[in-house]
Amino acid sequence: MSTKQRVEDPENISDGRRRKGEQRRRLLLDATMEVIARDGVTAVSQRRVAAEAGVPPSTVTYYYATVDDLLVDTLTRVNDAYVRVVDALPEDPDEALRGFAALIAEGAGSDRAHALAEMELFLIAARRPALREQVDRWTAAVDAFLTPYLPDPDARAGVAAASDGYFLRCCTSNPPPDADEVHRALRRLIDRERAAL
């Protein structure tokens, strides 16, 4: 399967064969996230994913010729969820910033193990160029979100870097920062940057 293809919602596919194929891809991506959440991204192999999904290894290689192909689709699916949340944030600037802070603190509806797995997928892009397109996509989504607050690209880059740092802290700190703390920090940074312009 090309890494450019997207896993579709099987419920919206009328063709039975395509629906079954998308269900199988979804099963494999779920299994990949379980392997990453439990053992880390470096533990992902076609054989491990097959065992997690309860399918023969040939099923994984049929849909994903390489581990990178599997990781790209897994990260794309993760990114889709995050970008959907950002796109659906309220128009009110303060409510939108609170929603963005909640996304950072709580993830896109996932538990902490899955949030850490998602972060690992983003971090491994430094070593796996095939994943970088999704990192760039997320960076562009955050930049677009922050543009109404800060028209200056350098100011936005600083706040975006802080939000990335909070994503990491929310995965690694015990206890993790909550949404109110993240919101206060981002609000202060935005206000400071605006005052400096």
Side-chain angles (χ1 to χ4, degrees), residues 10 23-24 40-42 50 63 76 82 87 94 98 103-104 110 123 126 153 166 179 183-184 193:
Q23 288 169 336
R24 188 60 56 94
V41 74
T42 57
Y63 290 103
T76 299
Y82 277 87
D87 288 346
D94 192 55
R98 286 183 188 282
L103 175 64
I104 292 170
S110 58
L123 291 175
Y166 265 105
H183 176 257
R184 285 192 306 272
E193 290 293 341

Side-chain angles (χ1 to χ4, degrees), residues 32-87:
T32 302
M33 283 303 294
E34 289 303 318
V35 170
I36 297 170
R38 186 178 55 249
D39 301 315
V41 74
T42 57
V44 173
S45 68
Q46 290 159 320
R47 189 167 296 282
R48 291 281 301 272
V49 169
E52 184 71 33
V55 299
S58 60
T59 301
V60 181
T61 56
Y62 176 79
Y63 290 103
Y64 297 101
T66 68
V67 170
D68 272 5
D69 290 343
L70 184 58
L71 292 175
V72 167
D73 265 11
T74 304
L75 181 55
T76 299
R77 185 179 182 200
V78 166
N79 216 8
D80 287 347
Y82 277 87
V83 170
R84 262 194 310 275
V85 172
V86 172
D87 288 346

Side-chain angles (χ1 to χ4, degrees), residues 91-172:
E91 287 189 27
D92 176 76
D94 192 55
E95 288 304 310
L97 191 61
R98 286 183 188 282
F100 185 65
L103 175 64
I104 292 170
E106 299 160 13
S110 58
D111 60 28
R112 192 163 184 202
H114 271 255
L116 180 56
E118 293 161 358
M119 178 59 69
E120 280 193 70
L121 277 168
F122 276 98
L123 291 175
I124 203 163
R127 296 189 184 275
R128 300 210 177 179
L131 297 168
R132 290 188 190 144
E133 180 181 332
Q134 287 303 315
V135 174
D136 293 343
R137 180 176 163 227
W138 172 247
T139 301
V142 172
D143 187 69
F145 169 74
L146 292 172
T147 296
Y149 299 91
L150 295 165
D152 179 68
D154 293 334
R156 282 197 310 276
V159 176
S163 69
D164 289 343
Y166 265 105
F167 263 116
L168 185 59
R169 282 182 124 182
C170 289
C171 291
T172 58

